[in-house]
Amino acid sequence: MAGSRVQVNKVHKSRFASKSSRNIHKVSQKDKSRIAKSDRNATKGARAARLQRCKMLREQKRAAFLKEKRASSGSASAPRVILLFPLSASVDVSSLAEDILRLLSAEGARALPSTVASPQYKLRATVLQAPHGDLLSCMEMAKVADLIAFVASATEESSCDYIDSFGSQCLSVFRSLGLPGTAVLIRDLPTELKRRNDAKKICTSSLTSEFPEDCRFYPADTKDDLHKFMWLFKEQRLTTPHWRNQRPYLMAQKVDMVPDDSNPGKCTLLLTGYTRAHSLSVNQLVHVSGVGDFQLHKIEIMKDPIPLNARKERDAMDSDDIQEVQIIRSLVPDPLNQEPLLVENIPDPLAGEQTWPTEAEMAEADNNQKQKRLRKRTLPRGTSEYQAAWIIEDTDEEDSDAEGDDDEEDDGMVLDEGERGFPSQEGTRNPDFEDQASLYLRDSDEETENDSMMIEGENLTREQIEDEIKKIKEAHAEDEEYPDEVDTPLDVPARKRFAKYRGLKSFRTSTWDPKESLPPEYARIFAFDNFARTQKHVMAKALEMEQESRDDCVPTGSYARIYIKDVPLDVASKLCVVSSTGPIVLCGLLQHESKMSVLHFSIKKHDSYDAPIKAKEEFIFHVGFRQFVARPIFSTDNINSDKHKMERFLHAGRFSMASIYAPISFPPLPLIVLKGAGGSSAPLVAAVGSLRSIDPDRIILKKIILTGYPQRVSKLKASVRYMFHNPEDVRWFKPVEVWTKCGRRGRIKEPVGTHGVMKCIFNGGLQQHDTVCMSLYKRAYPKWPEHRFPVLNA
């Protein structure tokens, strides 16, 4: 059979009884063509629909691109903001700014304002000069810049001198904020052609790795070089960070103030400039960077002082008096629709008071009690009637609101031997522990922890400040070497000193009620039932307001004067002074963004900051356009657990979560954390990150480890000393599980003697050099800031 041919796709003959019945199943040629034609028609129709959909998507993208191009470069758009940032102190950006302004302005113009209109390039631009060494001004300019032009000097002999330390620090901060369109302008190139090209190549190769891939390098010495740069800049499609396109903002070109006679100490702040990104409503709240949140008194839409097609009126537009008169429209807020300036929740002092129930309520309660007695319930072993009253049944879960904040509680209120975090004691109960109050419900006196005490640096001498810094550094080094380990005090009983702590059987699976024993600050904050849904609703409402073109909104690109009411007089006077050196930025707030809540940031220590960053210290948080003062706590970010371990210090080289009390902000938003250096020195960049979530129910647990040392070891038993100093403490902490650094786990059996020695039983042989540990936990909260916004330096 090796040489026989194998039949392929041959119909089996035994399938049919005879030859005449073989062709019965075959379809006629006419029917076959009809069936095939319908299939082809279906395929052809699907292909046509797919082609039509692709064509429609292309047309939509093309229309969106043309709309964006007209909005960014048309006559009705706001001037483009060009930020000239020197990469080193030797770069002179003032001469470059003058050359660019002269190129864009009309020939023969005497004064050179920072904003000019060029009919030749069909472009309006505002040129800003970043002051080298002033970090705050550079950050505020980078937040509003449409193009950051990094200026490098080609006179340096070595490539490492193109960017100095301050330029490198600012560049890393700009990356964290989100870079807009970028370009590199090279100055001081040689005049000889060959040396000029070589110097440009050396500078380009040295700086390419520091900037995005689409960043282009331009020589910027002659007028022809600047003409080429400006022509390409005009045609360039600029990209802006996503967070800047979510809210309207305004860079003030003129700052003024009008005192309020009816309210002493307050005034009306006037900011004049172009509205950008979105339409600004007169009924919404605004934030003045570094000052705070305010309501608007009115908005005046004015005639554009620098029109793109102006010819004869250019000289007349230089007068400020004429600008004040040319008001097109005035918008006044509606008291019914204006968003209230609500910052903190007003707690009701009588909310926790118990009133005497009525007869109907008492009868209803008796009815419910009888029904519960008739109902059979499965309770854990050893559960008392008082504990059973707190067990939530399935019927209660069904009746509760699915969108409530108690979803975590429904799964975790059933009590068992491991629920409280205490291991089983061989089926026996501890009468000593039952006679005492619960370990984690008992309140302690005033805490003596050093990390909760804030020392003001103004009242300390130089030696005291140096000693305080030395102590913080020693604590940071000790925390890295022995994390979470604390010593039991000799003069205070451990059951009182650690009365707020509790043990956990498992950090991942044990339950912790997020509503239990909340601090008084939680009565002043706001929380969302469903934050993601609320954010989606707020963003949709803002987009709808943008598309409707309502009468109470200032269109994007309009030149407007914003009247901000109830601004403190001293703050407004400082703003008028600061406006001469840096921009004053105003941004519109979305709904709920003035209310206080608990914000969580993903944060990482900056490479240039060497000092230890301790929890609950005071920092300045730059979140998008907003600035506020906060005292954060740091924690890990556990993916598979609802509990997160607190960290006493922000360690370098890894991300942590920073939780603060602050006004609500909707992500995504970048974060820059500044630490004041004290005195007249400028603040330093301590950390960078981004806004992660808003959740007051996020559980952050502070962990401490009590350590003891084996005195005598006999197989599985050991006598441990120096963990406690009296037998009452041993009996108090007897239900909590102990463990060793070599991996053994065990429990306390009984105290021995009168000096705190205890007998422990382990699940394996204990070594003499091992260390016995006990883990205790309590929930930690951030500190409420003493003042919410940074004080401006005049």
Side-chain angles (χ1 to χ4, degrees), residues 68 80 159 164 219 229 236 255 274 282 334 350 354 454 475 479 499 505 529 552 573 576 622-623 626 642 646 666:
E68 180 183 354
R80 291 190 177 186
S159 60
D164 58 6
F229 163 69
Q236 183 180 359
V255 180
Y274 293 91
V282 73
D334 185 4
L350 302 178
Q354 182 177 2
M454 300 298 295
D479 183 69
K505 181 68 175 177
D529 290 340
D552 61 339
S573 59
C576 295
H622 286 247
V623 183
R626 308 177 74 177
D642 61 340
M646 175 187 167
F666 292 104

Side-chain angles (χ1 to χ4, degrees), residues 608-624:
S608 63
Y609 194 79
D610 299 329
I613 299 178
K614 192 178 180 182
K616 300 180 183 178
E617 286 188 14
E618 191 172 276
F619 296 94
I620 301 175
F621 276 55
H622 286 247
V623 183

